[in-house]
Amino acid sequence: MNKYKHAFDPALAELYTQSFEGESVQWENNDIDTRKLFYQLNQSGNNQDVMHNAYAFIVQRIKALDFGCSAIELNDDPLGSLKTPAIPPLSETLQTQDNLYTCINQTAAIQLTQVCWLQNISQACYSQSDIAVQLMSLNLQLAGAGCEGTNIQQLYRALILTSGHEPPVLHSYDYSQQPEVVPEVYDFAVVQLALTRFPRVLLPEILGFTLAYCQTPTLLEVCFPHQQQALPFFKLHRQLAESQLQPLRSCILNYLGLFPEQQQPLWQRVQKGFWLYQRQMQICRDGLQKKMATPRTARQAMVQLLLDKAPVAIGHHQKVQLQGKTLDLWFAGLPANGNEFLLALTQSEYVNKKSPQHSRLLVLFDFKGPMFGVLDQSEIDIIKNWLNSGLEEGSPEAIEEQQKIVVSNNNLASVSRQLQKKYVNLSNRELYYYLVNADLFPDVLPVAQAKVRNRLRARALFNPLPFKHYSHQQFDAYIDTIYQQEISAYQPLQGKPKISRDAYIWGAGADSSYDFD
């Protein structure tokens, strides 16, 4: 157990990592699959393996910082000197309407997880801390919770809808595996989601990360600074961020003031969080620049064509099936199922692999064909290019990307199982401490879950439910039966009381304010 008096003691970071001392875990050498980790971090619960991987990921990213800007000393006004440098927009030739729509959808994982890293600041064991209260208020204000009519998330979702797409389901596995989304976007989103899991362990970094967020335009504004269509979103973000700069600076100074003997190392950690945000922004901007400057492959163009046609296609292809699923369902599943859609189409009767130019798919759009006029010539050319591109049965880009990102979590998982052994024989009093501080000891959770399961099994064995299968109606009837039994068992007082009125008042502990008539 720790002996720290303050809920946000800086030494908690050391406490979290000390469990791995002597183990063969090297944070910097773990190649973490960020797409998989993005999916896991969007699920509920604090799975201990996910927690360790998330922490390792943050450690990696912080160690990778080159600190091109020299560290700022802690002086009378340190925060006044900590400024984010401007990030250049995309090249002028790339700032088109189509690329704007692409960027809106590409960066959804980032925009829709901001400012999630503040949402777990308030926990049962430290919610009354002044720092926690300040940051809770900051979280609500930055999210635009007090804005009339809309908030920052709603505005961004509206932008996605105007681009002709549906807002993504962040917690779905399919979304995390979309090969069209640049990997740098998932990296940035994972940093944000990972910080969410460590409100105490990484508080200095979170404070610096938030400061950079408040000083920096959104990634969309960085890439397309003059886009009028997104102006309301840019304006609201700027308004909310600027209004919270001063409260945030006060919070940082208050935090540093809590630990006067450790101010310098804490200030360095705040700066690391600050430059971590800046670095992720720069990396994402460069990734988007590269993607938009690179010509689309035939497969990518075909997926985009299907995506563009989906809104008008859905509802007209209920009788057409590919691999046992209607074409309407295939269109409705885009863009997440884009690779599967093309694979199903490739393996269908609509594609002639031996002679692609004679494929039935092209005949549909020919003169006198049932879908003549639905596509223009440039769109038909996209289909022809895809048919002539080799008709890969998989997604080469996705396969290549998966080969680059190797999952190597077994080492950390093995360590986690070893760590759980120390919690098995804890008393309930000791277990209570670890559960209240579960963000510091995530390995205790499986032990707690096992204890709960055992209690539930015992409860079912010795106190069976009054009915075999639960339903609201059966439960209501059961409660009503108990109620009626209690009413029937009531026996009113018979005869005169055997003690005086004063004795009753004294026995009930009543005072003179009671009115006994």
Side-chain angles (χ1 to χ4, degrees):
M1 296 187 184
N2 75 64
K3 305 297 182 182
Y4 307 114
K5 294 182 179 180
H6 199 281
F8 292 102
D9 194 298
L12 292 176
E14 186 178 325
L15 175 68
Y16 184 79
T17 55
Q18 73 181 6
S19 301
F20 300 94
E21 291 180 1
E23 302 289 350
S24 56
V25 176
Q26 298 295 324
W27 300 115
E28 63 272 15
N29 293 331
N30 282 292
D31 193 4
I32 297 173
D33 181 345
T34 52
R35 292 175 182 269
K36 180 180 179 181
L37 188 54
F38 173 82
Y39 167 73
Q40 292 171 327
L41 288 171
N42 272 294
Q43 309 307 306
S44 60
N46 285 335
N47 178 284
Q48 69 278 11
D49 295 335
V50 175
M51 291 281 282
H52 294 329
N53 282 328
Y55 190 74
F57 186 83
I58 292 293
V59 171
Q60 286 179 1
R61 290 303 179 270
I62 291 176
K63 286 186 176 181
L65 294 173
D66 54 15
F67 287 101
C69 180
S70 59
I72 298 169
E73 292 297 322
L74 190 60
N75 50 40
D76 293 338
D77 184 25
L79 295 171
S81 305
L82 198 55
K83 300 288 186 183
T84 55
I87 300 175
L90 297 181
S91 302
E92 195 71 31
T93 55
L94 295 179
Q95 295 190 37
T96 65
Q97 189 73 17
D98 286 344
N99 281 344
L100 171 67
Y101 289 153
T102 298
C103 191
I104 288 172
N105 289 280
Q106 280 280 325
T107 60
I110 298 170
Q111 304 288 175
L112 296 178
T113 54
Q114 293 179 335
V115 284
C116 69
W117 56 85
L118 293 176
Q119 69 187 21
N120 287 341
I121 288 293
S122 177
Q123 299 289 333
C125 60
Y126 51 87
S127 60
Q128 300 305 311
S129 165
D130 289 342
I131 296 295
V133 173
Q134 285 179 295
L135 290 174
M136 277 197 321
S137 172
L138 195 74
N139 178 37
L140 292 173
Q141 295 299 323
L142 288 176
C147 297
E148 294 183 6
T150 188
N151 59 39
I152 196 76
Q153 297 281 355
Q154 289 172 331
L155 272 180
Y156 196 80
R157 290 177 183 276
L159 280 176
I160 296 176
L161 290 171
T162 60
S163 72
H165 299 83
E166 289 290 328
V169 180
L170 296 185
H171 63 264
S172 72
Y173 183 76
D174 286 342
Y175 178 70
S176 70
Q177 299 302 309
Q178 284 194 45
E180 305 300 328
V181 177
V182 295
E184 292 86 355
V185 166
Y186 290 115
D187 285 2
F188 196 169
V190 166
V191 168
Q192 297 180 159
L193 291 165
L195 286 174
T196 307
R197 301 297 181 105
F198 303 97
R200 289 196 283 172
V201 174
L202 296 175
L203 183 62
E205 289 80 6
I206 289 173
L207 291 172
F209 198 82
T210 309
L211 182 62
Y213 168 82
C214 288
Q215 288 189 10
T216 312
T218 67
L219 185 56
L220 187 62
E221 187 174 6
V222 165
C223 295
F224 297 87
H226 307 299
Q227 270 293 338
Q228 294 298 310
Q229 182 176 339
L231 196 58
F233 173 72
F234 299 159
K235 185 177 178 180
L236 181 59
H237 171 269
R238 199 174 305 124
Q239 172 190 332
L240 296 174
E242 289 177 356
S243 70
Q244 295 308 303
L245 267 174
Q246 190 52 47
L248 175 58
R249 290 186 175 117
S250 297
C251 185
I252 294 174
L253 293 175
N254 290 343
Y255 173 70
L256 295 175
L258 289 173
F259 311 99
E261 296 180 357
Q262 303 178 63
Q263 282 191 357
Q264 191 58 48
L266 281 180
W267 173 236
Q268 291 175 357
R269 288 179 61 185
V270 170
Q271 291 183 74
K272 287 179 180 179
F274 182 89
W275 294 114
L276 177 62
Y277 184 89
Q278 167 70 17
R279 178 62 177 157
Q280 293 301 136
M281 286 284 289
Q282 182 68 60
I283 290 173
C284 267
R285 179 267 173 204
D286 293 346
L288 290 167
Q289 167 84 17
K290 180 179 179 180
K291 178 178 179 62
M292 294 178 190
T294 303
R296 289 187 302 183
T297 65
R299 185 190 63 81
Q300 290 172 334
M302 185 64 180
V303 170
Q304 187 60 50
L305 176 61
L306 294 174
L307 191 59
D308 292 341
K309 297 301 177 182
V312 294
I314 295 174
H316 300 283
H317 300 85
Q318 297 175 352
K319 297 181 179 180
V320 181
Q321 292 199 349
L322 291 178
Q323 295 189 348
K325 187 162 69 173
T326 68
L327 205 55
D328 276 356
L329 289 177
W330 282 110
F331 277 115
L334 290 168
N337 67 345
N339 291 323
E340 297 176 69
F341 196 166
L342 289 189
L343 180 58
L345 194 56
T346 300
Q347 297 173 342
S348 73
E349 61 182 6
Y350 292 96
V351 171
N352 186 335
K353 292 183 181 180
K354 294 182 179 180
S355 182
Q357 67 273 21
H358 297 118
S359 293
R360 184 182 171 190
L361 182 62
L362 290 174
V363 176
L364 295 174
F365 302 99
D366 281 345
F367 182 66
K368 294 186 178 181
M371 299 184 70
F372 175 71
V374 172
L375 303 181
D376 60 30
Q377 188 57 49
S378 65
E379 292 168 331
I380 293 175
D381 289 341
I382 289 175
I383 297 178
K384 288 181 178 179
N385 289 337
W386 173 67
L387 289 170
N388 292 319
S389 65
L391 293 175
E392 305 91 337
E393 295 211 350
S395 166
E397 291 86 348
I399 294 171
E400 182 181 355
E401 191 62 37
Q402 289 300 318
Q403 290 172 344
K404 290 179 182 178
I405 309 174
V406 180
V407 181
S408 58
N409 299 334
N410 293 336
N411 194 18
L412 287 173
S414 175
V415 172
S416 297
R417 287 189 290 271
Q418 292 296 319
L419 294 175
Q420 290 166 24
K421 293 180 180 179
K422 70 180 183 182
Y423 302 112
V424 173
N425 297 318
L426 292 179
S427 67
N428 285 340
R429 185 182 294 271
E430 292 169 324
L431 185 60
Y432 167 81
Y433 165 78
Y434 286 105
L435 289 176
V436 168
N437 293 281
D439 58 321
L440 304 177
F441 307 100
D443 303 287
V444 74
L445 296 177
V447 177
Q449 290 166 353
K451 182 179 283 289
V452 171
R453 281 195 296 268
N454 290 337
R455 291 294 177 88
L456 290 175
R457 289 193 193 101
R459 170 67 178 80
L461 180 63
F462 296 107
N463 296 281
L465 292 173
F467 35 79
K468 186 175 181 180
H469 300 291
Y470 174 85
S471 71
H472 293 312
Q473 294 78 11
Q474 284 183 308
F475 180 73
D476 290 342
Y478 173 66
I479 295 298
D480 186 60
T481 299
I482 295 175
Y483 178 71
Q484 294 300 330
Q485 287 173 349
E486 291 299 320
I487 291 178
S488 301
Y490 172 69
Q491 296 293 330
L493 182 65
Q494 301 294 328
K496 295 182 178 180
K498 295 180 180 181
I499 59 176
S500 69
R501 176 177 179 274
D502 290 339
Y504 272 114
I505 293 175
W506 177 84
D511 60 24
S512 58
S513 63
Y514 284 91
D515 184 15
F516 286 85
D517 292 330

